[in-house]
Each structure stands twice: as C-alpha cells, then as structure tokens.
Amino acid sequence: MFISSQSSAPCFKDFTLVMPAVAVGNVGQLAVDLLVSTLNMSRVGYMHTDCLIPMAGNNPYGGCKEGAEELHTPAEVYTSAELKLAVLQIRAPIIRSKSKSFRQLLLSWIKSSGFARTAVLSSSHAYQRDDQQLQGAPLRFLMTPSLLRGSGEALKELGWTEMERSPAYPGLSDSEAEPRLSIPGGGITKGLYTDSCAEDVPLAVLLLFCSEGDNIPDAFTLINRLNDWLHLLDNPDAGNIKWKIPTSWSLLFGSGIPPALF
C-alpha cells in the first residue's frame, strides 16, 4: 500500500514509472540510485508492506547533515514533476514466500495510479546464458503487448534485442514444447512481466546479463540504455552524460580495512 509523505496524495496520472527488480548484482537498484541522485528527485511517499525484509537508514542521497534526521525505508517513491517521472526504489530483499503477493501489490498500485508506462530495470546470471544469448551486447528487453503497440517503432530505431526464449528441453530439436522465458537470478522480473501481460499493463523490462561483484559499471550501462529510450537527460551540447553518484555509494563495499590490522 502506498503511503504519501505529503499532506495531499501526489497524482501519478500519465507519469512514467521506473523501478528495479531485486536481482543478481543489484544492478537495477544501483541504476535507480543514479537516476534519483542526478535528477535530485523528491521523495513523496513509501510502500507499506510485509513482503520486504524490514530495514531503515539515513538519507542515501544526502550528506551526513542532510540525512541525520531523516528515516528512510525499504521501498520509497520519488518524483520529478517536470519530467512526469516517478521512481520506486526497493532497497531490501523480497521475502520468498510473499513474492506473488508483492507482485500483486505492485500491479494494483500501478493500475490505480494511472501510470502511462512502467520500466523495470533488472539483471540475470551471465553464466546461465544459452548459445544465442552469448551473441551481441549483454542487454535485452521485454515489452508487454499493450506497450509494444505504442513503442514498437521506437524500439526498431534503437536496435534493441528482445530476450530470447529457451527450449523447454534443451538439445531436443524435435520437441513440441513451446520455448519458455527464463530469467535466472532475476527475482520477480519474470513473474511481474507475465502478470502484466495477463492484465494488459504497459510494462517494459530492461535487463543486463552480469555476475556478482563490482556492478557499478553495469549500472551505468543499464541507466544509459534507459535514457536512450526515455530521453531523461538528453542535452546535445553536453556531450557525455554525467550521472551523479550518490553519497551512499562510498560505503558500497564497507568502510575499508582498519589500519590497526597491520
């Protein structure tokens, strides 16, 4: 359930929603961090649910003074009214037994809010790619039929590669079983996409094959691909886009090795 942090509930009608899937390497979450930090987006509320592991912390996008008195939660919503853009950042793992409930909560909120389209930033295990997925760039997309009808031409111009379906029984070329969609390590990505197809929700998945480790370069790759489509930071005179790294990334790998050890 969405809880507004303002005196009046924000209107998301015809906004674009961007959200991550909690997946391998946390690439989607890191990419969303870059988007919120660079656009200096305003927090307008949070999702109240028992489907996420509870946690709390200081402001991940401000300095020590800015975040000292602010409490932030596992799933928060940020907006940029000028761009008609909303972002749902998810910072905690989804409780496995409540994955379906969380997907239903998200779709219910997306439909009731009137979002024009939703972009899910996700990732999948690079080592589990099949032969055809080893070709070309490690980026893939999925789009529900309702969104594809309006964005098909734009995708052709971008030259994106759609996520391939894998054989139900690899190695059996004469199998009559339909190829299936498989996103290992993708968390709720597959379920959210199939649910959106069934409920006619305009939703796209932007996905990157990756491995666990330092996934900051993967986050930049993914957010640049999103910007190619949505043109959030387009400025022909600016050259390369300069994404703003949030202060919380300074602790991404801990606080360093204590000198006293040596």
Side-chain angles (χ1 to χ4, degrees):
M1 179 172 73
F2 174 73
I3 306 295
S4 174
S5 58
Q6 302 175 333
S7 56
S8 58
C11 177
F12 299 120
K13 182 69 174 175
D14 296 328
F15 272 48
T16 294
L17 172 67
V18 177
M19 60 167 286
V22 182
V24 55
N26 302 311
V27 178
Q29 294 156 291
L30 293 172
V32 165
D33 268 351
L34 289 171
L35 190 60
V36 174
S37 181
T38 304
L39 296 177
N40 195 26
M41 300 178 74
S42 303
R43 182 177 61 163
V44 295
Y46 61 94
M47 303 298 290
H48 178 66
T49 174
D50 62 353
C51 299
L52 298 173
I53 293 177
M55 58 154 285
N58 290 338
N59 182 3
Y61 306 117
C64 295
K65 292 182 179 180
E66 294 174 86
E69 298 179 358
E70 290 186 3
L71 189 65
H72 287 250
T73 58
E76 297 185 315
V77 180
Y78 298 80
T79 61
S80 171
E82 301 80 12
L83 295 172
K84 301 200 76 172
L85 176 70
V87 164
L88 169 62
Q89 175 63 299
I90 302 173
R91 302 189 178 96
I94 301 166
I95 297 173
R96 182 168 299 185
S97 61
K98 297 186 177 182
S99 176
K100 183 177 180 180
S101 298
F102 188 61
R103 297 199 315 263
Q104 292 173 341
L105 170 71
L106 286 175
L107 284 179
S108 175
W109 176 61
I110 288 170
K111 291 194 292 184
S112 64
S113 298
F115 288 110
R117 56 189 173 185
T118 298
V120 179
L121 306 182
S122 186
S123 50
S124 182
H125 285 301
Y127 73 87
Q128 289 193 253
R129 287 176 290 177
D130 59 25
D131 289 347
Q132 59 182 342
Q133 291 170 344
L134 289 169
Q135 302 176 24
L139 289 149
R140 296 294 186 273
F141 82 93
L142 290 164
M143 276 197 179
T144 60
S146 60
L147 183 57
L148 195 58
R149 286 192 292 268
S151 303
E153 291 301 320
L155 291 181
K156 289 180 181 178
E157 294 178 6
L158 290 171
W160 288 5
T161 302
E162 187 173 3
M163 184 67 173
E164 299 89 347
R165 268 63 173 177
S166 304
Y169 304 101
L172 298 179
S173 57
D174 57 346
S175 173
E176 295 182 0
E178 288 286 333
R180 58 189 178 88
L181 178 63
S182 177
I183 307 178
I188 66 169
T189 305
K190 177 183 174 181
L192 189 59
Y193 169 73
T194 54
D195 290 348
S196 298
C197 287
E199 299 190 31
D200 202 33
V201 174
L203 178 139
V205 174
L206 276 68
L207 182 147
L208 182 76
F209 294 116
C210 70
S211 301
E212 293 281 4
D214 182 357
N215 296 101
I216 289 177
D218 298 322
F220 279 102
T221 299
L222 195 58
I223 197 64
N224 280 324
R225 179 57 62 97
L226 177 71
N227 191 61
D228 289 342
W229 176 35
L230 298 183
H231 306 289
L232 301 173
L233 291 183
D234 275 1
N235 184 352
D237 300 323
N240 293 331
I241 295 170
K242 301 294 184 182
W243 297 100
K244 180 182 176 182
I245 295 177
T247 54
S248 56
W249 283 21
S250 62
L251 300 175
L252 207 55
F253 300 103
S255 55
I257 300 173
L261 287 176
F262 308 98

